[in-house]
Amino acid sequence: MILHKLLYKVVRPIFRKWREARYGYTRLVEVFVYKNHLLHNIKQYQQIDPSCRVAPVLKSNAYGHGLIEVARIFDQPETPFLVVDGYYEALILRNESVRAGILVVGYTATENIVACRLKDVAFTILDLPQLLDLANTLAVPRHFHLKIDTGMNRQGILMTEVEEAFDAVRRNEHIILDGLCSHLADADGPDEAFTLQQIERWNAVAEVAKKAFPAIKYYHLANTAGSYYAGTIDANVMRVGLGLYGINPNPRQRLDLKPALEIRSRVGAVKRIKKGDKVGYNVAYEAERAMPLAVVPTGYNSCVDRRLSNKGFFMIKNTPCPIVGRVSMNITTIDAGAVDDVQRGDVVTVISLQKEAQNSIENIARLCGEIPYVILTNISPQLRRVVI
């Protein structure tokens, strides 16, 4: 076992660097993840309520930032646990020698729970039938967080089922209850009434749970937007996802968050087109003037939403360049007329780190009529993440 860990922690990284040096491959599109920005953002949430620890949410490839890369940044003693959606993500992290505790918040089949051999991994019980199945069949010790449905009506033990659920936990000594959790449905909405109702329900259940199960270590209700209400919630952990990556979903909060992701490519070719020339699939753009057209080797397969066709922007030399024509699978064309002497090989910022940029995540989401979560999680996992 010691030799196995040594191979993964020492030998494999050396082999990877050797392999990259041997083949000399220069990537045309890369995702840059800013470690200091992530650490800055988590401090912003820790300051909201110092008595409430922050659990980083890493589901969906850490919101596009890279599951393994972000997990390594937060693999620290002060992290209560890392939050992932699926058991497969826990397997990946342990395979990469990430040692922090892990909570799987999504559904996990009973056979996978039983088969789990990973240390310090807890699973979430999502409804009463699942809990009863575990209470009747589980014959090996496993760690769990019990989810309560405080009103979202998606997952969790119903309020009317709480007593029966607690009895089921008591029946099987192999169900080790580490945590109690729930989820806020509308913490970023304009009307606080439903959120306050959920908090009231949660606080009532938490009070009962503390008496019934004194050994429970973690109580967590607030998500990123719900952190605004931390002072009114009976909990000692908040789960922070989108805010960790520099985007504030709650307009009531004033936080100094820094986006942590930038995507860069290069100009693959420069074409000189005339007024009236058509560009791209379905000849969806007609040039209103002569212009240099920069051809960028990335498209909707990797990180450029197709809805940005004829209305999005890239940046070259800090200059906004409009996307012209259809965004293709692997190619996007931009009007580089405002750039001084654009050349093949020039760096192109596909997604900007700067909030105010026309191609920031938030501005891209607005142009697409979408939420930032979707733009981020649609960034291809095949793209290399570089932590800087």
Side-chain angles (χ1 to χ4, degrees), residues 32-152:
F32 294 89
V33 178
Y34 288 74
K35 177 180 178 179
N36 287 342
H37 289 200
L38 290 171
L39 295 174
H40 168 85
N41 294 337
I42 200 169
K43 286 180 182 177
Q44 293 294 301
Y45 285 95
Q46 288 169 338
Q47 292 169 5
I48 293 173
D49 183 355
S51 67
C52 200
R53 298 166 73 188
V54 176
V57 180
L58 309 186
K59 63 182 183 177
S60 297
N61 202 27
Y63 289 57
H65 290 65
L67 171 65
I68 297 165
E69 291 80 5
V70 175
R72 286 174 176 158
I73 292 171
F74 293 113
D75 189 11
Q76 303 294 336
E78 61 268 24
T79 299
F81 48 83
L82 303 172
V83 182
V84 299
D85 181 69
Y87 177 46
Y88 75 96
E89 293 165 309
L91 289 168
I92 290 171
L93 293 182
R94 288 293 182 259
N95 188 53
E96 294 290 335
S97 299
V98 173
R99 301 176 66 181
I102 297 172
L103 173 63
V104 179
V105 292
Y107 172 72
T108 307
T110 300
E111 57 266 30
N112 286 334
I113 293 173
V114 172
C116 176
R117 296 293 180 267
L118 305 179
K119 291 184 178 180
D120 204 6
V121 171
F123 299 94
T124 307
I125 298 172
L126 299 174
D127 59 25
L128 186 60
Q130 182 190 21
L131 172 57
L132 294 177
D133 179 43
L134 289 165
N136 293 330
T137 63
L138 191 63
V140 289
R142 293 291 180 265
H143 294 260
F144 298 94
H145 289 215
L146 182 64
K147 189 168 188 177
I148 307 298
D149 186 351
T150 52
M152 194 171 185

